């Protein structure tokens, strides 16, 4: 099997390279834009091994400000050949600057800036070999009999997923608890009433809060299905992020436990892809728990 990593790579390179900053007593520089990214990347599995191919020609824009005079300068960073033929530390990184003074900023980008750019390129390659390939983990010998059984059964589940049968994604389970200054009824409503979900997520949502009902949150970045709803007590959902391996869902259970004047929310999540564990924690802590606490402080909520 082979997967094209070109479009994923372009997004990842932009995410890792744009915004890099370096500074010293002379001034401050920043990689301000990705001017050009040409090339391709792919990953294929052959004879039980994952083989990577990537070849990129990258052009970045940088800008800098001199501490003493406040003078501003611009320049380019060119990476003519990032490929599997060279180690990242040996990859050519060329720094140039528009004419005029400010060479001290160019020197800063040539030294500290180049080091940070190479570090970001290394992070891209790590992500290519872990994050991008999550759905390509190869079947183990132990799975071969299971595969044959699955293939013999006519099942509607086989058609929708492009991931080969027998592929097993390494996953982790998460357990988190959080206290909220509100009643069980109100907290349960924040997870099941469309207007309240849109308020705390600050994005459009679609909710069918009933068993078998579908939901979309954060502008479609999170989707899933309600598996169980016990009013004011428990919600169980099939749950996935848009950037997870295709067709892969985790199971999220929310238990609402009344305590003295507060509600404890117990989150149990099974089936989170290993490489998405930190993202999942961030999503619940920052985008759910903290935003809900902010919503609960609004005087209009009870109105």
């Amino acid at each position: 099997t082979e997967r094209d990593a070109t479009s994923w790579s372009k997004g990842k390179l932009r995410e890792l390279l744009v915004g890099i900053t370096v500074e010293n007593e002379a001034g401050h520089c920043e990689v301000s834009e990705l001017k050009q990214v040409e090339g391709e990347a792919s990953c294929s599995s052959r004879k039980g091994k994952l083989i990577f191919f990537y070849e990129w020609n990258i052009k970045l824009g940088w800008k800098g400000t001199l501490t003493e005079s406040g003078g501003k300068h611009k320049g380019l960073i060119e990476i003519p050949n990032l490929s599997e033929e060279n180690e990242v530390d040996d990859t050519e990184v060329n720094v140039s600057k528009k004419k005029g003074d400010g060479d001290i900023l160019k020197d800063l980008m040539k030294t500290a800036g180049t080091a940070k750019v190479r570090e970001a390129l290394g992070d891209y390659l790590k992500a290519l070999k872990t994050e991008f390939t999550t759905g390509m983990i190869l079947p183990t010998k132990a799975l071969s009999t299971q595969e044959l059984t699955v293939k013999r059964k006519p099942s509607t589940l086989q058609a929708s997923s492009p991931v080969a049968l027998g592929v097993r994604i390494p996953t982790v389970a998460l357990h988190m608890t959080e206290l909220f200054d509100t009643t069980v009824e109100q907290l349960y409503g924040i997870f099941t009433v469309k207007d309240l979900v849109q308020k705390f997520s600050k994005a459009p949502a679609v909710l069918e809060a009933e068993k078998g009902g579908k939901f979309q949150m954060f502008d479609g970045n999170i989707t899933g299905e309600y598996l169980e709803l016990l009013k004011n007590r428990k919600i169980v959902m099939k749950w996935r992020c848009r950037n997870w391996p295709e067709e892969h869902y985790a199971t999220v259970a929310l238990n609402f436990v009344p305590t003295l004047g507060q509600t404890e929310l117990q989150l149990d999540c099974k089936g989170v892809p290993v490489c998405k564990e930190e993202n999942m924690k961030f999503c619940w802590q920052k985008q759910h728990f903290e935003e809900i606490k902010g919503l609960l402080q609004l005087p209009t909520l009870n109105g």
Side-chain angles (χ1 to χ4, degrees):
T1 58
E2 184 169 315
R3 282 175 70 186
D4 184 2
T6 303
S7 134
W8 175 89
S9 293
K10 286 180 178 179
K12 182 57 75 173
L13 286 164
R14 182 185 300 278
E15 175 192 318
L16 291 169
L17 290 165
V18 176
I20 286 175
T21 58
V22 286
E23 60 185 319
N24 59 15
E25 63 281 357
H28 172 277
C29 295
E30 177 186 358
V31 176
S32 52
E33 62 177 317
L34 182 62
K35 285 180 169 288
Q36 173 188 302
V37 54
E38 291 178 345
E40 58 183 322
S42 64
C43 173
S44 57
S45 57
R46 290 177 208 156
K47 297 182 180 176
K49 287 184 181 175
L50 290 177
I51 297 163
F52 298 90
F53 169 81
Y54 52 92
E55 192 167 27
W56 294 108
N57 176 0
I58 302 164
K59 196 178 285 184
L60 303 161
W62 66 269
K63 58 185 181 183
T65 308
L66 290 164
T67 305
E68 201 169 303
S69 65
K72 296 188 183 299
H73 298 274
K74 288 183 176 180
L76 291 175
I77 300 170
E78 295 179 84
I79 304 153
N81 183 26
L82 172 67
S83 73
E84 72 276 4
E85 293 172 8
N86 304 308
E87 294 292 327
V88 170
D89 289 345
D90 300 328
T91 297
E92 194 178 341
V93 179
N94 300 318
V95 178
S96 58
K97 185 186 70 63
K98 290 191 174 178
K99 286 181 180 175
D101 58 357
D103 279 345
I104 198 158
L105 292 176
K106 178 181 165 185
D107 292 340
L108 175 59
M109 285 308 290
K110 268 191 164 180
T111 51
T114 295
K116 280 208 173 180
V117 165
R118 284 206 174 108
E119 189 182 324
L121 296 175
D123 289 342
Y124 156 68
L125 296 180
K126 280 182 203 161
L128 177 64
K129 293 173 184 180
T130 54
E131 190 180 314
F132 177 76
T133 58
T134 306
M136 294 186 72
I137 302 291
L138 300 166
T140 60
K141 287 181 182 174
L143 282 172
S144 56
T145 53
Q146 180 188 325
E147 280 180 49
L148 291 170
T149 317
V150 172
K151 285 173 185 170
R152 284 196 204 105
K153 287 182 184 173
S155 164
T156 54
L157 293 174
Q158 290 184 30
S160 59
S161 172
V163 178
L165 288 169
V167 168
R168 187 175 278 179
I169 295 168
T171 62
V172 290
L174 297 180
H175 177 74
M176 299 169 77
T177 58
E178 195 77 17
L179 274 175
F180 294 88
D181 292 325
T182 187
T183 61
V184 166
E185 291 79 9
Q186 190 167 52
L187 190 59
Y188 183 90
I190 285 173
F191 282 96
T192 52
V193 176
K194 179 181 172 180
D195 286 351
L196 296 177
V197 168
Q198 292 186 150
K199 276 183 182 171
F200 86 73
S201 65
K202 300 181 176 69
V206 179
L207 263 77
E208 302 165 9
E210 57 188 45
K211 189 171 180 178
K214 302 283 194 291
F215 63 83
Q216 283 186 27
M217 293 167 56
F218 296 96
D219 232 351
N221 278 310
I222 292 171
T223 54
E225 180 183 323
Y226 292 103
L227 301 176
E228 184 183 350
L229 293 117
L230 295 174
K231 192 167 184 183
N232 303 331
R233 287 172 54 200
K234 187 176 186 179
I235 300 172
V236 183
M237 303 169 278
K238 265 176 71 178
W239 199 99
R240 66 172 270 109
C241 279
R242 182 181 276 163
N243 63 357
W244 283 12
E246 203 160 340
E247 299 294 323
H248 181 79
Y249 286 82
T251 304
V252 170
L254 300 174
N255 284 287
F256 300 81
V257 182
T259 59
L260 288 170
Q262 294 178 306
T263 299
E264 182 179 87
L265 182 66
Q266 299 173 349
L267 166 76
D268 283 291
C269 189
K270 293 176 184 172
V272 179
V274 169
C275 63
K276 301 295 182 184
E277 181 180 2
E278 292 308 313
N279 285 8
M280 188 70 161
K281 286 178 185 171
F282 177 87
C283 175
W284 280 95
Q285 191 63 49
K286 300 289 183 187
Q287 297 175 318
H288 284 76
F289 299 162
E290 290 184 17
E291 294 295 338
I292 288 169
K293 286 181 177 180
L295 178 64
L296 288 169
Q297 288 169 4
L298 295 178
T300 55
L301 184 60
N302 293 315

